[in-house]
Structure formats: structure tokens, C-alpha cells
Amino acid sequence: MRKIVVALVIALCALATPHAQAPAAQARVTGTITLALDARETPRKLLHARETLTVTPGALTLVYPKWLPGEHAPDGAIDDLVGLKFSAGGKTIAWRRDPVDLFAFHIDVPQGADTLEVTLDFLSAIGAGGFSSASSETAHLGIYSWNQVLLYPQGARTDDVMFSASIELPGNWKYATALPIRIVGGIVAGVKPGDASPPRQLSASVQFAPVSLTTLVDSPVIAGEYLRVVPLDNTSSRPVEADLVGDTASAIDIPADLTQKWKRLVQETDAMFGARHYNNYHFLLTLSDRVAHFGLEHHQSNDSRVPQNSLSQQNSIGVVAHEYVHSWNGKYRRPAGLATPDFQQPMVGDLLWVYEGLTQYLGYLLAERSGIWSESYYKERLAQIAAFLDTEPGREWRPLADTTTAAQLLYFAPGQWTSYRRGTDFYDEGWLIWLDADTQIRQLTNGQKSMEDFTHLFHGGESSAPMLKPYAFEDVVAALNQVAPHDWKGFLTARIYQVAPRAPLDGITKGGWRLVYTDAKNEYVKTTDADRVEAGYSIGLRVRARDGVVNDVNLNSPAGKAGIGPGMQILAVNGLRFSAEVLRNAIKDSKTASGPLTIEFQNDDLVKTVSLDYHGGTREPHLERDSTKVDVLAQILAPRAK
Ligand SMILES: [Zn+2]
């Protein structure tokens, strides 16, 4: 709370200074900014935008959004901004980029001008990239993030700047978004806010209602040739729908059983929080093998992107449960350090173990309770992340808290040496810690209370339109204490802020289960077999399946001690030319083999063979029931909704 107050004061001063001290030299931007996005060239990954601002003459600095909410990083795609031109009264205005802040552009609005035109183009990435700046457009569909196609006045609070946006789409494309459509003369031109299933215009321009810049950037648009609207809750005054867009008609052909599970997800989430903090909610789901795959939360929607066949292989749909939880945990309640007044101020991510970690715990719980994930898949996934974190050498030097503070680096770090570097572990370790907290609450209250008492207290209350209530570490501790008095500060400090060589597995054991390794296939690991050999818990390697290139090595493992490192390529195992199966079989057979397991590998231009004295066979993680304890995990996984 304190952090945000200080930040707001600074922003207000920045706004006030030009008016008060240098009225003649500083331009002012007044009224609503008009933004017209021409997306008709989406199939060749080129977007055109025109912005019109009401201005007074003088010096003006406009900025491009840098720190993107939900991405927790300064990864605004500034290098894809091209074709930038400014003009007033038909005359071009020269611009210059700030030499220190590369996201800022300085111009002088000439005397007599009252309107400033800004035109810019955006080059949509074709290959890999980070989150929303990664591949977002195909020949059949587009995902439009407004922050990519606009500039706004430097120093202005994004809550205070109003935008009136429109979009023009390729002919016959349909669209979906949480943005309300403009109402003309009392007649609904498209849809009124709150409608769950609006009539989608099939072409031409769609004019949206004026909203703040905060809301605009929080409300992406998906559009495409193949778009399907699936109502999930039409009966509430705060309706919910899923909008599916895909590269083919069959990609969005949702099976009836998945629709039912998705409806249950909405009901289970209601049971978890007891209130909704949105006017309407849109699950914007893109099914394509040509766009980047991730989920990005917004207050009234989420932009989730999954492989094209995901409606038939539903485990990857679990991401929508995570993103939906963010409407409460991340948007309604947000760490003060992430609740910045504009998109240029640095974010402080030290509470991402709540923002992302609790979302990971609650989201996957809801995926299981609604049936999108099976109970066995949930347990196998939990076993896998527990094993990964428990054997990670990086935890010997880096506390979990540092992965939150350094999140803006770790999101974009390469996969090599992940186990030693540590990645964005606050997601999965958050899952373990909040399971630990949930089982702790149940233990303290003899099963009378649970994490749902915390979520009702912290995230529930009265249903409302979107609003933001920032919090600090002390607020989380206080809410936990209100649910079940305990040394929660000590509990969280030990698990998050101190170096802990072992992962927090107490939630699993208090849940009546234990982490074990057997030669049986882990159900989650199996889904990754085509891409890699997961030998992290046996010889200590994670290897690319198609060519034997080592992606990660556990320093404390037999392979790590033998000197194998990331980037080296395995050529042969026990004298047989490498294939994923050859490596898997050699590990499996090590149990009965009399000699060591030999690996021949290439390191740059050197070829070398090492021998691993390993006889443990295949080791994959699973949860095993501890029959001496109550099965608390079963109670946690049981559906709640009536
Ligand atoms: Zn998230």
C-alpha cells in the first residue's frame, strides 16, 4: 500500500509540473484520443494504426508502453514499431527518440495546431518472442494487443487517459473481446456492455466505446475466419463466455463434454471466491500451431493460446483455469509493486509467489475440480513439479524470493542450466507452498477451515465491476491469521525468503501422500516424450529427443559429476547410436547391467566418452498414498459447486 501511494504522488507531480511552470513551452493533450487500427493486412503480419490527439502547441513527449501488466517485464515490442510519423494541419512534424528512454518520442506541436495525427505500423513477429510480442497472427486469425499500436502522453496515469478505439478486419472475419462496443444515439451499434453473446460484425470497422488506457490495454481482441462463441453462464448479470478462434474449422469444434467441464469451471470458481469482480468475462482462446503458446491474464478476459488439437487433448486447456483465477488474484487483488500508475514505471515483482504462485495452486485445483484435468493427471503433474524443484541444484544458492525479484530476467533466460540458474520457480513452488498452507489451515482448524476461507476473505466480498485493491506482504499474513492464527510470517519467510536446499513438500505429506520415484511412466512426463528424454531423476540429464543435444544437467547427478554440460550432443549410449529410445532403454537396463552406462558425446569439435556408474534404472516421480494418514488431498480435490 505504501509503495503505490508514493508512486502516485510522483506521477501527479509529473503531470502538474508542465502546466504550472512552463505553460508556453509544453503542449497539452486533452480529451479522448482516437485510435483506428487497420488490421486488414494481418495475414502478412503487418498492422497499421492512426491516432488522433487534441493538443495545444508546444513540446510534447509521447511514450510506447514498456512494462506490460501480466508479463511482469519491460518487454513492450518497441523494435517492432515502424513507420512512425507525426503531423498537424497536413504538415509533417519531425520527431526524435529519447537517447536514454528508447520508448519515448519528442516532438514540437507547431503554433496554431489543435490536432495531432500519429501514424505507425506494427510488425507482428513471425518466429519466437516473448509473450504477446511473440507470434500472434496467422493467415486465418489475429490476436490484437492494443499496447502494440499506440503512443500516449508521458507522465499521464493510464486510468486518466481516455481512448476511443476502432478496428478494421479482413473481410468475413469475426471478432471477440471484452471491450464494450460504442452505443450510437441510444441504439446499440453491435452490443451493449454486459451482453454475453453479441452479434459479431462480419467485416468493416468495429467502433468500441471510449475506455481508459488501462482498460484498453487490458482488453485484447481476437478475430479470425473461424470463430465460435460458447456461452458458459448466461443467467448471471455478470455473464461469462468462451470465444474460440482457430486456423481451421475443426480446431474450434468443441466437444460437448468440454463445454460442460468449462461451465463447471465457472461454477467451481464462484464457489472458491464467492464473488465476481467483472461486468462480463471472455475466455479468448486461440487454437493454432502457428502462434506462441502461453496465457495472459486480463481483468475481464484472458488471452490463452494453445496447440491446434487442444480441444481433443484437454490437458493443455488447464491454462484457462489459471488465467481465470487471475481476474481475482492478480487483477482485483494485486501486489502494490505491480500496481503501477502507467506502463513506463518499473514493476516490483517480489510478491509474484502470491500473484502467480497462488494462481498456480488455485487454477490447477479448479482445472481438476471441474474435470478439465483428471485427478490422476493432477497428481502426476504435482509429483513432477515437486521432483523437479526438490532436485534442483540452483536452490542451494538462490532463495525463491530472488526468482520473483529477477522474474523480468528469468522469463527470457535460455533453458540451458535451468536447474542451476533456477527459472520462474515461483509458479510451481507457489503451488507447493500454497498446498502446504492449505493443509496447514486444515490441520490448525481440525478440518473446519481451508484455503477457501482465505480466498473468500482476500478475494471475495461483494461482486463488483473491475476494481483494484493492492496489497503488501503484511496483508497476506494478516488474512491468513484471520483464517487460522499461526506464525504465518515465519511459515512464509522460511519457505520463500531463505535459501532452502529441499523443496517444500510438507503439503504433500500433510495431504496424506508422499513423493516417490519408480520405473512407471509419469503421466505428465509422457506428454513431453516426443520432444525430450526426461532423465533428470536418474542419470541427471534432460535431452532433446530428436538429436540428443543436452538441454539441462543436474550438477549433483551422475551425468553432472561426469562433466556433461548443456549444448553437448550425445552420439552413442553403450556403443549404440543415439536415439531417444536407445537412451531410455540404457537407463532402464542399468538396473541389471554389470558394467557402467557409457555415453559418447560431442562437445564443439571434441568427441569424448564417459562412464556413469549408475544402476538405478528408470526413475520417474509419482505420489504414493501414505495409509497412516487421512487423505486430505482427496478432500482438497473434491468439487465444491452445487
Ligand atoms: Zn499467471
Side-chain angles (χ1 to χ4, degrees), residues 104-120:
F105 300 90
H106 303 294
I107 61 166
D108 284 306
V109 179
Q111 287 301 323
D114 55 11
T115 303
L116 175 69
E117 297 274 344
V118 184
T119 56
L120 57 89

Side-chain angles (χ1 to χ4, degrees), residues 297 322-323 326 356 427:
E297 65 276 21
H322 174 107
E323 304 307 339
H326 271 316
E356 294 295 357
Y427 286 83

Side-chain angles (χ1 to χ4, degrees), residues 267-272 365-366 369-370 438 442 450-452 632-642:
Q267 294 161 3
E268 288 292 341
T269 311
D270 283 342
M272 179 169 279
L365 199 50
L366 290 167
R369 286 179 184 172
S370 60
D438 197 348
R442 288 161 194 266
S450 72
M451 190 50 66
E452 263 109 79
V632 176
L633 186 59
Q635 296 167 8
I636 291 174
L637 294 177
R640 296 289 187 278
K642 303 274 183 317

Side-chain angles (χ1 to χ4, degrees), residues 33-41 46-53 64 80-87 116-123 144-151 163-168 216:
I33 298 171
T34 305
L35 172 63
L37 173 59
D38 178 353
R40 288 175 298 173
E41 287 209 90
L46 183 60
L47 305 179
H48 311 282
R50 173 179 293 273
E51 217 175 311
T52 309
L53 302 89
Y64 188 72
D80 292 320
L81 169 67
V82 300
L84 182 63
K85 289 177 187 165
F86 298 84
S87 66
L116 175 69
E117 297 274 344
V118 184
T119 56
L120 57 89
D121 286 351
F122 183 77
L123 308 174
Y144 308 104
S145 304
W146 293 103
N147 54 280
Q148 294 176 339
V149 291
L150 64 81
L151 301 178
F163 266 80
S164 175
S166 64
I167 188 169
E168 210 167 346
L216 184 70

